[in-house]
Tab-separated table of all heavy atoms in Angstrom:
chain	number	residue	atom	x	y	z
A	1	ALA	N	39.363	-4.851	64.036
A	1	ALA	CA	38.941	-6.185	64.483
A	1	ALA	C	40.076	-7.182	64.295
A	1	ALA	O	41.075	-6.907	63.607
A	1	ALA	CB	37.700	-6.630	63.719
A	2	LEU	N	39.921	-8.334	64.911
A	2	LEU	CA	40.919	-9.403	64.827
A	2	LEU	C	40.528	-10.393	63.742
A	2	LEU	O	39.491	-11.045	63.842
A	2	LEU	CB	41.025	-10.125	66.172
A	2	LEU	CG	41.812	-11.443	66.187
A	2	LEU	CD1	43.274	-11.190	65.844
A	2	LEU	CD2	41.684	-12.138	67.549
A	3	PRO	N	41.343	-10.563	62.692
A	3	PRO	CA	41.057	-11.588	61.680
A	3	PRO	C	41.527	-12.960	62.177
A	3	PRO	O	42.663	-13.100	62.647
A	3	PRO	CB	41.884	-11.152	60.469
A	3	PRO	CG	42.477	-9.810	60.828
A	3	PRO	CD	42.502	-9.747	62.312
A	4	VAL	N	40.663	-13.954	62.063
A	4	VAL	CA	41.013	-15.328	62.390
A	4	VAL	C	40.818	-16.174	61.136
A	4	VAL	O	39.696	-16.325	60.650
A	4	VAL	CB	40.154	-15.878	63.548
A	4	VAL	CG1	40.501	-17.344	63.811
A	4	VAL	CG2	40.380	-15.054	64.822
A	5	VAL	N	41.921	-16.686	60.595
A	5	VAL	CA	41.887	-17.527	59.397
A	5	VAL	C	41.714	-18.976	59.844
A	5	VAL	O	42.445	-19.452	60.719
A	5	VAL	CB	43.198	-17.372	58.594
A	5	VAL	CG1	43.187	-18.282	57.361
A	5	VAL	CG2	43.405	-15.916	58.190
A	6	VAL	N	40.756	-19.691	59.250
A	6	VAL	CA	40.448	-21.050	59.695
A	6	VAL	C	40.305	-21.972	58.497
A	6	VAL	O	39.534	-21.690	57.570
A	6	VAL	CB	39.130	-21.088	60.503
A	6	VAL	CG1	38.875	-22.497	61.018
A	6	VAL	CG2	39.163	-20.107	61.654
A	7	GLY	N	41.043	-23.082	58.504
A	7	GLY	CA	40.863	-24.051	57.436
A	7	GLY	C	42.014	-25.029	57.340
A	7	GLY	O	42.974	-24.974	58.109
A	8	GLY	N	41.905	-25.908	56.345
A	8	GLY	CA	42.905	-26.946	56.188
A	8	GLY	C	43.406	-27.114	54.767
A	8	GLY	O	44.099	-28.086	54.468
A	9	SER	N	43.050	-26.177	53.865
A	9	SER	CA	43.525	-26.269	52.483
A	9	SER	C	44.947	-25.742	52.417
A	9	SER	O	45.199	-24.542	52.542
A	9	SER	CB	42.603	-25.483	51.544
A	9	SER	OG	41.345	-26.119	51.461
A	10	MET	N	45.880	-26.635	52.187
A	10	MET	CA	47.290	-26.367	52.428
A	10	MET	C	47.842	-25.214	51.602
A	10	MET	O	48.411	-24.255	52.139
A	10	MET	CB	48.078	-27.655	52.184
A	10	MET	CG	47.670	-28.784	53.126
A	10	MET	SD	48.112	-30.452	52.513
A	10	MET	CE	46.861	-30.735	51.247
A	11	LEU	N	47.698	-25.293	50.280
A	11	LEU	CA	48.247	-24.254	49.426
A	11	LEU	C	47.547	-22.920	49.648
A	11	LEU	O	48.172	-21.854	49.568
A	11	LEU	CB	48.134	-24.661	47.960
A	11	LEU	CG	49.152	-25.686	47.463
A	11	LEU	CD1	48.820	-26.112	46.046
A	11	LEU	CD2	50.566	-25.121	47.531
A	12	TYR	N	46.258	-22.958	49.913
A	12	TYR	CA	45.505	-21.722	50.130
A	12	TYR	C	46.054	-20.982	51.349
A	12	TYR	O	46.254	-19.768	51.327
A	12	TYR	CB	44.020	-22.030	50.311
A	12	TYR	CG	43.306	-22.357	49.029
A	12	TYR	CD1	43.658	-23.483	48.275
A	12	TYR	CD2	42.287	-21.563	48.547
A	12	TYR	CE1	43.020	-23.781	47.092
A	12	TYR	CE2	41.636	-21.856	47.366
A	12	TYR	CZ	42.010	-22.964	46.634
A	12	TYR	OH	41.369	-23.246	45.461
A	13	ILE	N	46.287	-21.727	52.423
A	13	ILE	CA	46.787	-21.110	53.645
A	13	ILE	C	48.188	-20.554	53.445
A	13	ILE	O	48.484	-19.410	53.789
A	13	ILE	CB	46.762	-22.127	54.801
A	13	ILE	CG1	45.315	-22.462	55.166
A	13	ILE	CG2	47.511	-21.604	56.018
A	13	ILE	CD1	45.166	-23.691	56.031
A	14	GLN	N	49.061	-21.360	52.849
A	14	GLN	CA	50.437	-20.892	52.714
A	14	GLN	C	50.544	-19.748	51.715
A	14	GLN	O	51.336	-18.826	51.904
A	14	GLN	CB	51.378	-22.027	52.325
A	14	GLN	CG	52.840	-21.606	52.484
A	14	GLN	CD	53.804	-22.768	52.463
A	14	GLN	OE1	53.429	-23.909	52.264
A	14	GLN	NE2	55.078	-22.466	52.674
A	15	SER	N	49.734	-19.776	50.657
A	15	SER	CA	49.774	-18.662	49.696
A	15	SER	C	49.378	-17.359	50.367
A	15	SER	O	49.935	-16.299	50.063
A	15	SER	CB	48.843	-18.946	48.520
A	15	SER	OG	47.482	-18.770	48.882
A	16	LEU	N	48.426	-17.446	51.301
A	16	LEU	CA	47.955	-16.252	51.992
A	16	LEU	C	48.985	-15.752	53.002
A	16	LEU	O	49.317	-14.562	53.034
A	16	LEU	CB	46.630	-16.562	52.700
A	16	LEU	CG	46.000	-15.435	53.509
A	16	LEU	CD1	45.612	-14.263	52.601
A	16	LEU	CD2	44.772	-15.950	54.266
A	17	LEU	N	49.505	-16.655	53.821
A	17	LEU	CA	50.380	-16.245	54.919
A	17	LEU	C	51.813	-15.980	54.474
A	17	LEU	O	52.558	-15.281	55.171
A	17	LEU	CB	50.366	-17.308	56.023
A	17	LEU	CG	48.999	-17.561	56.674
A	17	LEU	CD1	49.136	-18.523	57.840
A	17	LEU	CD2	48.355	-16.252	57.128
A	18	ASP	N	52.217	-16.538	53.323
A	18	ASP	CA	53.575	-16.313	52.833
A	18	ASP	C	53.620	-15.451	51.584
A	18	ASP	O	54.664	-15.348	50.938
A	18	ASP	CB	54.276	-17.649	52.589
A	18	ASP	CG	54.641	-18.344	53.891
A	18	ASP	OD1	55.403	-17.755	54.676
A	18	ASP	OD2	54.141	-19.452	54.144
A	19	ASP	N	52.455	-14.853	51.244
A	19	ASP	CA	52.397	-13.911	50.117
A	19	ASP	C	53.070	-14.491	48.882
A	19	ASP	O	53.942	-13.886	48.270
A	19	ASP	CB	53.058	-12.577	50.502
A	19	ASP	CG	52.655	-11.456	49.549
A	19	ASP	OD1	51.695	-11.652	48.776
A	19	ASP	OD2	53.294	-10.390	49.579
A	20	TRP	N	52.653	-15.676	48.509
A	20	TRP	CA	53.233	-16.410	47.399
A	20	TRP	C	53.058	-15.656	46.078
A	20	TRP	O	51.957	-15.226	45.743
A	20	TRP	CB	52.560	-17.770	47.331
A	20	TRP	CG	53.143	-18.736	46.342
A	20	TRP	CD1	54.327	-18.643	45.701
A	20	TRP	CD2	52.539	-19.961	45.922
A	20	TRP	NE1	54.521	-19.746	44.885
A	20	TRP	CE2	53.431	-20.570	45.004
A	20	TRP	CE3	51.346	-20.612	46.222
A	20	TRP	CZ2	53.157	-21.783	44.393
A	20	TRP	CZ3	51.078	-21.825	45.611
A	20	TRP	CH2	51.965	-22.404	44.717
A	21	SER	N	54.122	-15.494	45.332
A	21	SER	CA	54.053	-14.954	43.977
A	21	SER	C	53.908	-16.112	43.011
A	21	SER	O	54.745	-17.027	42.985
A	21	SER	CB	55.331	-14.159	43.655
A	21	SER	OG	55.441	-13.042	44.500
A	22	PHE	N	52.873	-16.079	42.220
A	22	PHE	CA	52.547	-17.231	41.380
A	22	PHE	C	53.299	-17.196	40.061
A	22	PHE	O	53.441	-16.127	39.453
A	22	PHE	CB	51.040	-17.281	41.123
A	22	PHE	CG	50.253	-17.564	42.355
A	22	PHE	CD1	49.821	-16.524	43.155
A	22	PHE	CD2	49.990	-18.857	42.752
A	22	PHE	CE1	49.114	-16.773	44.314
A	22	PHE	CE2	49.291	-19.118	43.916
A	22	PHE	CZ	48.850	-18.071	44.699
A	23	PRO	N	53.782	-18.355	39.624
A	23	PRO	CA	54.475	-18.409	38.339
A	23	PRO	C	53.519	-18.100	37.196
A	23	PRO	O	52.307	-18.222	37.333
A	23	PRO	CB	54.979	-19.856	38.266
A	23	PRO	CG	54.099	-20.615	39.196
A	23	PRO	CD	53.728	-19.665	40.285
A	24	ALA	N	54.106	-17.696	36.081
A	24	ALA	CA	53.307	-17.288	34.928
A	24	ALA	C	52.451	-18.447	34.420
A	24	ALA	O	52.740	-19.620	34.650
A	24	ALA	CB	54.237	-16.794	33.822
A	25	THR	N	51.398	-18.066	33.722
A	25	THR	CA	50.553	-19.065	33.062
A	25	THR	C	50.391	-18.664	31.608
A	25	THR	O	50.480	-17.487	31.259
A	25	THR	CB	49.185	-19.173	33.754
A	25	THR	OG1	48.426	-20.226	33.148
A	25	THR	CG2	48.408	-17.873	33.669
A	26	ASP	N	50.190	-19.650	30.762
A	26	ASP	CA	49.995	-19.401	29.331
A	26	ASP	C	48.779	-20.207	28.894
A	26	ASP	O	48.811	-21.442	28.923
A	26	ASP	CB	51.242	-19.820	28.547
A	26	ASP	CG	51.128	-19.491	27.060
A	26	ASP	OD1	50.113	-19.880	26.448
A	26	ASP	OD2	52.056	-18.869	26.521
A	27	PRO	N	47.699	-19.527	28.488
A	27	PRO	CA	46.460	-20.246	28.136
A	27	PRO	C	46.663	-21.308	27.064
A	27	PRO	O	46.040	-22.375	27.117
A	27	PRO	CB	45.532	-19.130	27.645
A	27	PRO	CG	46.045	-17.893	28.315
A	27	PRO	CD	47.534	-18.070	28.409
A	28	ALA	N	47.527	-21.034	26.106
A	28	ALA	CA	47.737	-22.002	25.022
A	28	ALA	C	48.436	-23.252	25.542
A	28	ALA	O	48.069	-24.387	25.198
A	28	ALA	CB	48.542	-21.366	23.897
A	29	VAL	N	49.465	-23.056	26.379
A	29	VAL	CA	50.180	-24.199	26.947
A	29	VAL	C	49.255	-24.995	27.871
A	29	VAL	O	49.202	-26.227	27.812
A	29	VAL	CB	51.435	-23.717	27.710
A	29	VAL	CG1	52.100	-24.883	28.439
A	29	VAL	CG2	52.420	-23.066	26.748
A	30	ARG	N	48.511	-24.272	28.715
A	30	ARG	CA	47.580	-24.951	29.627
A	30	ARG	C	46.540	-25.761	28.833
A	30	ARG	O	46.242	-26.908	29.164
A	30	ARG	CB	46.880	-23.906	30.500
A	30	ARG	CG	45.731	-24.456	31.366
A	30	ARG	CD	46.243	-25.232	32.549
A	30	ARG	NE	46.994	-24.380	33.446
A	30	ARG	CZ	46.458	-23.701	34.462
A	30	ARG	NH1	45.163	-23.779	34.697
A	30	ARG	NH2	47.215	-22.969	35.247
A	31	ALA	N	45.994	-25.153	27.778
A	31	ALA	CA	44.964	-25.826	26.977
A	31	ALA	C	45.512	-27.096	26.324
A	31	ALA	O	44.810	-28.114	26.235
A	31	ALA	CB	44.424	-24.872	25.915
A	32	ARG	N	46.773	-27.034	25.889
A	32	ARG	CA	47.362	-28.223	25.261
A	32	ARG	C	47.473	-29.371	26.251
A	32	ARG	O	47.131	-30.511	25.926
A	32	ARG	CB	48.739	-27.862	24.685
A	32	ARG	CG	49.516	-29.057	24.150
A	32	ARG	CD	50.559	-28.633	23.150
A	32	ARG	NE	51.282	-27.435	23.529
A	32	ARG	CZ	52.271	-27.391	24.409
A	32	ARG	NH1	52.670	-28.522	25.019
A	32	ARG	NH2	52.897	-26.257	24.689
A	33	TRP	N	47.934	-29.088	27.480
A	33	TRP	CA	48.022	-30.145	28.485
A	33	TRP	C	46.634	-30.626	28.916
A	33	TRP	O	46.439	-31.812	29.175
A	33	TRP	CB	48.815	-29.648	29.699
A	33	TRP	CG	50.290	-29.526	29.458
A	33	TRP	CD1	51.038	-28.387	29.412
A	33	TRP	CD2	51.198	-30.608	29.207
A	33	TRP	NE1	52.358	-28.689	29.154
A	33	TRP	CE2	52.487	-30.040	29.024
A	33	TRP	CE3	51.049	-31.988	29.119
A	33	TRP	CZ2	53.615	-30.811	28.769
A	33	TRP	CZ3	52.177	-32.761	28.855
A	33	TRP	CH2	53.437	-32.178	28.685
A	34	GLU	N	45.675	-29.704	28.976
A	34	GLU	CA	44.319	-30.116	29.361
A	34	GLU	C	43.675	-30.987	28.303
A	34	GLU	O	42.905	-31.899	28.620
A	34	GLU	CB	43.470	-28.880	29.656
A	34	GLU	CG	43.847	-28.205	30.973
A	34	GLU	CD	43.010	-26.985	31.277
A	34	GLU	OE1	42.389	-26.447	30.326
A	34	GLU	OE2	42.972	-26.565	32.447
A	35	ARG	N	43.983	-30.719	27.026
A	35	ARG	CA	43.482	-31.597	25.957
A	35	ARG	C	44.048	-32.998	26.119
A	35	ARG	O	43.333	-33.995	25.968
A	35	ARG	CB	43.840	-31.023	24.581
A	35	ARG	CG	42.916	-29.944	24.080
A	35	ARG	CD	43.076	-29.716	22.585
A	35	ARG	NE	44.455	-29.345	22.221
A	35	ARG	CZ	44.924	-28.100	22.243
A	35	ARG	NH1	44.139	-27.107	22.617
A	35	ARG	NH2	46.173	-27.856	21.892
A	36	ARG	N	45.337	-33.076	26.422
A	36	ARG	CA	45.945	-34.394	26.623
A	36	ARG	C	45.336	-35.097	27.834
A	36	ARG	O	45.135	-36.320	27.806
A	36	ARG	CB	47.459	-34.263	26.786
A	36	ARG	CG	48.206	-33.978	25.488
A	36	ARG	CD	49.701	-34.152	25.664
A	36	ARG	NE	50.073	-35.472	26.178
A	36	ARG	CZ	51.310	-35.827	26.500
A	36	ARG	NH1	52.301	-34.954	26.351
A	36	ARG	NH2	51.568	-37.040	26.973
A	37	LEU	N	45.047	-34.317	28.865
A	37	LEU	CA	44.409	-34.904	30.046
A	37	LEU	C	43.054	-35.502	29.682
A	37	LEU	O	42.722	-36.623	30.095
A	37	LEU	CB	44.239	-33.833	31.127
A	37	LEU	CG	43.508	-34.268	32.400
A	37	LEU	CD1	44.310	-35.327	33.150
A	37	LEU	CD2	43.249	-33.060	33.304
A	38	ALA	N	42.268	-34.772	28.900
A	38	ALA	CA	40.952	-35.253	28.496
A	38	ALA	C	41.053	-36.469	27.584
A	38	ALA	O	40.239	-37.395	27.671
A	38	ALA	CB	40.180	-34.127	27.796
A	39	GLU	N	42.065	-36.500	26.718
A	39	GLU	CA	42.193	-37.583	25.735
A	39	GLU	C	42.863	-38.824	26.313
A	39	GLU	O	42.464	-39.956	25.998
A	39	GLU	CB	42.995	-37.080	24.530
A	39	GLU	CG	42.287	-35.995	23.725
A	39	GLU	CD	43.219	-35.324	22.729
A	39	GLU	OE1	44.414	-35.708	22.677
A	39	GLU	OE2	42.751	-34.410	22.014
A	40	GLU	N	43.881	-38.623	27.169
A	40	GLU	CA	44.700	-39.747	27.624
A	40	GLU	C	44.441	-40.139	29.067
A	40	GLU	O	44.793	-41.243	29.498
A	40	GLU	CB	46.193	-39.396	27.467
A	40	GLU	CG	46.587	-39.002	26.048
A	40	GLU	CD	48.023	-38.502	25.990
A	40	GLU	OE1	48.850	-38.975	26.802
A	40	GLU	OE2	48.323	-37.631	25.140
A	41	GLY	N	43.867	-39.214	29.864
A	41	GLY	CA	43.706	-39.484	31.285
A	41	GLY	C	44.912	-38.999	32.067
A	41	GLY	O	45.961	-38.648	31.503
A	42	VAL	N	44.788	-38.996	33.389
A	42	VAL	CA	45.831	-38.421	34.230
A	42	VAL	C	47.084	-39.295	34.295
A	42	VAL	O	48.198	-38.789	34.477
A	42	VAL	CB	45.285	-38.141	35.655
A	42	VAL	CG1	44.924	-39.422	36.377
A	42	VAL	CG2	46.291	-37.341	36.480
A	43	GLY	N	46.937	-40.616	34.121
A	43	GLY	CA	48.072	-41.526	34.254
A	43	GLY	C	49.253	-41.182	33.358
A	43	GLY	O	50.382	-40.989	33.844
A	44	PRO	N	49.058	-41.091	32.038
A	44	PRO	CA	50.186	-40.756	31.155
A	44	PRO	C	50.787	-39.377	31.438
A	44	PRO	O	52.000	-39.201	31.321
A	44	PRO	CB	49.552	-40.800	29.749
A	44	PRO	CG	48.385	-41.717	29.899
A	44	PRO	CD	47.853	-41.473	31.277
A	45	LEU	N	49.938	-38.411	31.841
A	45	LEU	CA	50.471	-37.083	32.139
A	45	LEU	C	51.300	-37.104	33.414
A	45	LEU	O	52.352	-36.449	33.496
A	45	LEU	CB	49.330	-36.066	32.260
A	45	LEU	CG	49.064	-35.256	30.973
A	45	LEU	CD1	48.522	-36.185	29.882
A	45	LEU	CD2	48.098	-34.121	31.249
A	46	HIS	N	50.865	-37.871	34.400
A	46	HIS	CA	51.641	-37.953	35.635
A	46	HIS	C	52.983	-38.654	35.358
A	46	HIS	O	54.016	-38.280	35.929
A	46	HIS	CB	50.842	-38.704	36.709
A	46	HIS	CG	51.378	-38.503	38.086
A	46	HIS	ND1	52.342	-39.320	38.628
A	46	HIS	CD2	51.098	-37.559	39.044
A	46	HIS	CE1	52.626	-38.910	39.851
A	46	HIS	NE2	51.895	-37.844	40.125
A	47	ALA	N	52.953	-39.633	34.472
A	47	ALA	CA	54.205	-40.298	34.085
A	47	ALA	C	55.126	-39.328	33.356
A	47	ALA	O	56.359	-39.343	33.559
A	47	ALA	CB	53.894	-41.504	33.204
A	48	GLU	N	54.554	-38.469	32.526
A	48	GLU	CA	55.344	-37.441	31.843
A	48	GLU	C	55.970	-36.486	32.856
A	48	GLU	O	57.143	-36.109	32.742
A	48	GLU	CB	54.444	-36.665	30.874
A	48	GLU	CG	55.117	-35.503	30.165
A	48	GLU	CD	56.043	-35.955	29.046
A	48	GLU	OE1	55.968	-37.145	28.650
A	48	GLU	OE2	56.840	-35.130	28.577
């Protein structure tokens, strides 16, 4: 059959069509930044 991909989510489309290899993730590092996000809000993190 013919697959037809339909949508407008930018990263989703490009990750699929360009076989994007994703950079590593570290739960501890992610959790630390998420704690700061919850405590300080997105503004200070975006400035960082």
Side-chain angles (χ1 to χ4, degrees):
L2 168 64
V4 177
V5 178
V6 183
S9 292
M10 298 159 284
L11 283 173
Y12 284 63
I13 292 165
Q14 192 165 4
S15 75
L16 179 64
L17 299 186
D18 288 300
D19 197 13
W20 187 14
S21 296
F22 293 89
T25 184
D26 184 308
V29 174
R30 172 75 64 90
R32 173 158 42 79
W33 287 113
E34 287 180 341
R35 278 197 302 274
R36 285 192 55 185
L37 176 65
E39 294 168 0
E40 304 173 31
V42 66
L45 263 67
H46 196 271
E48 176 76 14

